[in-house]
Amino acid sequence: MGFRPFIYKLANELNLPGYVLNNSSGVFIEAEGSEPILRNFLSRIEADKPKLSVITNLEHSFLDPLGYSKFEIKESEEGDDVSALILPDIAVCDNCLKEMLDPKDRRYLYPFINCTNCGPRFSIIESLPYDRPNTSMKIFKMCDKCREEYKNPADRRFHAQPIACPDCGPQLFLWDEGGNIISEKQTALKETVDLIRQGKIIALKGLGGFQLIVDATNEEAVRELRKRKHREEKPFALMFPSIESIKEVCEVSETEERVLCSPESPIVLLKRKSKIGNPCLAGRQAKSKISVTVAPHNPYLGAMLPYTPLHHLLMKELNLPVVATSANLSEEPICIDEREALEKLRGIADYYLIHNRPIVRHVDDSIVRVILNRELVMRRARGYAPLPIIVAEKYFSLEEKTVLAVGGHLKNTVALKKGNNIFISQHIGDLSTEESNITFKKVIDDFKLLYNAEPDEIISDLHPEYISTKYAKHLSEKIKQVQHHYAHVAACRFENQVEGEALGVSWDGTGYGLDATVWGGEFFLTDDNSYKHFAQFRKFVLPGGEKAIKEPRRSLTGILFEIAGSSFVDEFSDLIENKFTSAEIGILLNMLSKKINSPITSSAGRLFDAVSSLLGICDRTNYEGQAAMMLEFAADWSETNSYSFEIKKSDKFQPEADEPLAQIVDWVPIISSIINDIRKDLKPSIISTKFHNTLSQVILEIAKKSGMKKVVLSGGCFQNALLTERTISLLQENNYKVYWHQRIPPNDGGIALGQIAAYLMQHLHLNEIENKTLKEIG
Ligand SMILES: [Zn+2]
Ligand SMILES: [Zn+2]
């Protein structure tokens, strides 16, 4: 990040001759001078470094002088130890924006302006070291003016690899749906603006892939986009022209504003200003009316600001919020190539605003939610990936091992440990589709190539049917496996550098348990190098397995069956009669009692689903996590009461885990009280909050029983702001130290890191624990 120019200036300021160069292991400097000045030089490197740069390791040694006459920046060296960091793609900086809008500047209105402090990185790099010939900018020959800037150490664009101008750099083109050029450059942009105003759907080639853009205030256009994309209810993200325009529609806290305007510029989940019952009237001014179809029944909006110069130019002209959603079929990876986009988006996009700078790899927009005044990354991609997590010193003995973790199944990411860095890939997505499968394999090959790494160990989830597990087995006969929920806890421990004993709380929808049942409401006693499965939710039958994930009403029958057996049909007829036909009930009852295609589960996520259905909030979902999300959104945060519950000592012994499970959280009293409240006509908004409050009490009680003073929260359930905030506050009030995610997603996007973390933490005592989490197979 403009590091060599910084070193150049600093060395000249201190009158130190020598040189600086980039090689594939990082930045290498030789400087000659007296020891005090050299020591000053070292400390200033750390203190004055460019704002966005990160020094992960600074080593020095003293040598005999060679008599350099001046300080220079040398050409990069080739080497095989590739461990230099690749930086994420960074939003355009203020200096570049100012130039872009200055009619006297030679890059006036040029949509590919950038400098050493901003612009594309990860999305254009082909191999290390990061130099122009190793990027997709190599096809553009620098003009004399750009070359001058590129070579001038005093210039902001000194060694800015993607440097470009209207004379020598990438250009815009507007295509029709057949790929015929309609217009170019400024005209293409102007015509695109007109087309968006007319309600057309535009596929825009952005930084890390194509986005579909429509006018967010045009109800018909947004509805048409939903229809063409086959996306029924899942909210669309919006791009706004300015922070002020976001504030017209949403509540924006100081932290949220900082995240929105940060160099990472993610999508931020913001609370709408309007009341839930009237989402049409978001904001008071008519011009900020957001189409109700953008995020139906949803009191939040995913909002972002323009982050590339192209987006800035477009939004400035438009001065309207637009839907800016990944251009793909649902759950498939985002398109990156214009020819591919023409195929894939046929029938979806009306026009294509493209450019001729190739995108080397897909990088989606990241998604962040602010919880307790701190950012929580829910989808980690642009702006964040592939920055590494640094391995703590105590695990340095494993420095030599290169480890690949293939992650989970939904929200898949992969991770690669090389040396003391763990590189986590950009978001890949749901591996169920053929396309995302191809991308998954491509990302693994890409990482191996970029970092010149051949893994010594490959780690997967325990689930035998995960595509990621199968692929790991295809790569190596001898893989190691980590239990899903433990991987969540390990990821959170690692991200927060938790030391010593801690209670791990791992709640999500689905994961393969050590006893081959579906887990999801788990508690672990953990320390630096081992774990014990300590508690879990009472299990219930999930009729239809996978189908139950899409139909929360099925989870509901599972818990009612657990409470009352077959007589639940009569006992709770008032609660279920509107949800099923009598034929459906017959089939479900048969499945439940005979356990046909009905796994048993301890999933907290499914419990949220069941309550969501019980309250009449969501019986069927259109996207992952919808029922729990709607239950959270329905809650009235002012309610402070909760329900009673029981924690019982378990008499069960888990042979596969070879560990006694100490405690079972019995949710039956909670559900019974909820049913009483429903029958007393208590509002769902109050019941929902009482349910959330109760779950935080459950965590506190288990924490007390565990005897541990630190609590680590992970798993998809902790994307829920109400649950997370209530739990953290309650634990802190009771003097627990609480850790939760920040830069690593609590959902399955964090599994890959967790797999490597588990490997590192347990490898220390591998002989003793080898047979527990790290099941050796093959
Ligand atoms: Zn810049
Ligand atoms: Zn130029």
Side-chain angles (χ1 to χ4, degrees), residues 464-725:
E465 295 303 319
Y466 275 3
I467 282 153
S468 54
T469 309
K470 288 181 176 170
Y471 190 63
K473 288 181 189 173
H474 163 80
L475 288 177
S476 163
E477 287 188 345
K478 223 175 166 196
I479 61 168
K480 290 200 160 68
Q481 298 184 297
V482 177
Q483 200 281 322
H484 189 94
H485 299 95
Y486 178 62
H488 275 308
V489 173
C492 195
R493 277 191 69 110
F494 236 64
E495 183 185 4
N496 291 292
Q497 305 198 354
V498 177
E499 302 258 338
E501 290 190 334
L503 173 71
V505 182
S506 188
W507 289 5
D508 66 1
T510 309
Y512 194 85
L514 288 172
D515 59 359
T517 67
V518 179
W519 286 10
E522 315 306 314
F523 300 84
F524 299 94
L525 307 181
T526 71
D527 61 27
D528 289 346
N529 43 51
S530 73
Y531 82 91
K532 265 197 176 69
H533 192 202
F534 178 62
Q536 79 180 157
F537 276 65
R538 177 169 170 173
K539 287 179 174 171
F540 60 96
V541 183
L542 208 53
E546 284 293 306
K547 249 189 180 166
I549 298 173
K550 296 207 164 102
E551 294 183 25
R553 60 180 191 153
R554 285 174 180 258
S555 292
L556 175 61
T557 61
I559 60 164
L560 296 180
F561 181 79
E562 179 70 16
I563 295 175
S566 301
S567 66
F568 85 87
V569 179
D570 302 316
E571 212 171 300
F572 305 115
S573 62
D574 56 325
L575 301 167
I576 56 170
E577 61 189 2
N578 295 328
K579 301 185 192 297
F580 303 97
T581 63
S582 53
E584 283 173 333
I585 278 290
I587 295 166
L588 284 170
L589 202 53
N590 192 40
M591 288 173 91
L592 286 163
S593 43
K594 293 183 186 154
K595 305 221 179 355
I596 304 164
N597 185 24
S598 298
I600 56 167
T601 186
S602 57
S603 166
R606 296 291 89 80
L607 199 61
F608 269 92
D609 284 0
V611 173
S612 191
S613 172
L614 187 58
L615 294 182
I617 290 171
C618 184
D619 288 328
R620 286 186 175 86
T621 63
N622 286 303
Y623 55 92
E624 198 215 338
Q626 186 184 4
M629 229 157 94
M630 288 175 73
L631 183 65
E632 178 201 340
F633 293 160
D636 176 345
W637 284 47
S638 63
E639 176 64 38
T640 53
N641 288 317
S642 57
Y643 297 112
S644 55
F645 54 88
E646 267 181 70
I647 294 173
K648 295 174 178 161
K649 205 144 175 66
S650 168
D651 48 2
K652 293 222 179 84
F653 188 78
Q654 303 216 311
E656 288 84 354
D658 192 26
E659 282 159 12
L661 185 66
Q663 311 285 339
I664 297 289
V665 178
D666 190 357
W667 43 262
V668 169
I670 306 174
I671 300 297
S672 302
S673 313
I674 289 178
I675 291 171
N676 282 339
D677 273 354
I678 292 173
R679 287 176 172 160
K680 281 189 290 190
D681 282 331
L682 196 68
K683 280 191 283 185
S685 59
I686 302 296
I687 301 177
S688 169
T689 320
K690 285 171 80 176
F691 174 65
H692 282 85
N693 294 344
T694 310
L695 293 177
S696 56
Q697 301 274 2
V698 165
I699 294 174
L700 175 65
E701 279 315 302
I702 297 285
K704 285 179 183 164
K705 288 185 190 293
S706 75
M708 297 187 165
K709 296 312 286 176
K710 294 176 182 171
V711 181
V712 170
L713 306 174
S714 189
C717 291
F718 293 100
Q719 295 171 101
N720 178 322
L722 178 56
L723 174 71
T724 306
E725 293 197 9

Side-chain angles (χ1 to χ4, degrees), residues 325-606:
T325 184
S326 307
N328 54 4
L329 292 171
S330 54
E331 307 309 331
E332 285 188 357
I334 187 168
C335 290
I336 57 171
D337 175 82
E338 46 270 25
R339 291 288 152 193
E340 181 199 355
L342 274 184
E343 288 291 311
K344 293 266 164 65
L345 304 175
R346 179 170 296 151
I348 299 179
D350 295 316
Y351 296 91
Y352 297 78
L353 182 62
I354 64 125
H355 57 74
N356 52 358
R357 184 179 71 203
I359 297 173
V360 174
R361 63 185 60 72
H362 87 283
V363 190
D364 284 272
D365 292 321
S366 296
I367 305 177
V368 167
R369 186 170 195 186
V370 171
I371 290 186
L372 284 174
N373 244 345
R374 208 175 87 170
E375 74 186 296
L376 177 83
V377 174
M378 295 175 20
R379 180 163 84 193
R380 187 179 184 273
R382 180 179 50 77
Y384 299 92
L387 282 181
I389 294 283
I390 311 298
V391 172
E393 213 167 315
K394 61 186 166 204
Y395 305 112
F396 275 11
S397 57
L398 293 164
E399 197 178 341
E400 295 308 315
K401 289 259 189 180
T402 298
V403 185
L404 171 73
V406 296
H409 183 71
L410 296 172
K411 297 187 167 70
N412 179 275
T413 59
V414 301
L416 178 76
K417 178 202 158 289
K418 193 181 177 199
N420 294 328
N421 289 318
I422 304 172
F423 302 100
I424 305 156
S425 79
Q426 71 275 37
H427 167 84
I428 299 168
D430 179 349
L431 296 188
S432 311
T433 68
E434 183 58 34
E435 288 298 317
S436 45
N437 242 301
I438 295 167
T439 306
F440 163 74
K441 290 169 193 165
K442 222 157 79 183
V443 170
I444 291 177
D445 291 341
D446 185 34
F447 259 42
K448 285 178 13 185
L449 207 70
L450 263 182
Y451 296 108
N452 190 20
E454 204 37 66
D456 303 306
E457 299 275 10
I458 295 176
I459 312 180
S460 80
D461 195 273
L462 265 180
H463 201 307
E465 295 303 319
Y466 275 3
I467 282 153
S468 54
T469 309
K470 288 181 176 170
Y471 190 63
K473 288 181 189 173
H474 163 80
L475 288 177
S476 163
E477 287 188 345
K478 223 175 166 196
I479 61 168
K480 290 200 160 68
Q481 298 184 297
V482 177
Q483 200 281 322
H484 189 94
H485 299 95
Y486 178 62
H488 275 308
V489 173
C492 195
R493 277 191 69 110
F494 236 64
E495 183 185 4
N496 291 292
Q497 305 198 354
V498 177
E499 302 258 338
E501 290 190 334
L503 173 71
V505 182
S506 188
W507 289 5
D508 66 1
T510 309
Y512 194 85
L514 288 172
D515 59 359
T517 67
V518 179
W519 286 10
E522 315 306 314
F523 300 84
F524 299 94
L525 307 181
T526 71
D527 61 27
D528 289 346
N529 43 51
S530 73
Y531 82 91
K532 265 197 176 69
H533 192 202
F534 178 62
Q536 79 180 157
F537 276 65
R538 177 169 170 173
K539 287 179 174 171
F540 60 96
V541 183
L542 208 53
E546 284 293 306
K547 249 189 180 166
I549 298 173
K550 296 207 164 102
E551 294 183 25
R553 60 180 191 153
R554 285 174 180 258
S555 292
L556 175 61
T557 61
I559 60 164
L560 296 180
F561 181 79
E562 179 70 16
I563 295 175
S566 301
S567 66
F568 85 87
V569 179
D570 302 316
E571 212 171 300
F572 305 115
S573 62
D574 56 325
L575 301 167
I576 56 170
E577 61 189 2
N578 295 328
K579 301 185 192 297
F580 303 97
T581 63
S582 53
E584 283 173 333
I585 278 290
I587 295 166
L588 284 170
L589 202 53
N590 192 40
M591 288 173 91
L592 286 163
S593 43
K594 293 183 186 154
K595 305 221 179 355
I596 304 164
N597 185 24
S598 298
I600 56 167
T601 186
S602 57
S603 166
R606 296 291 89 80

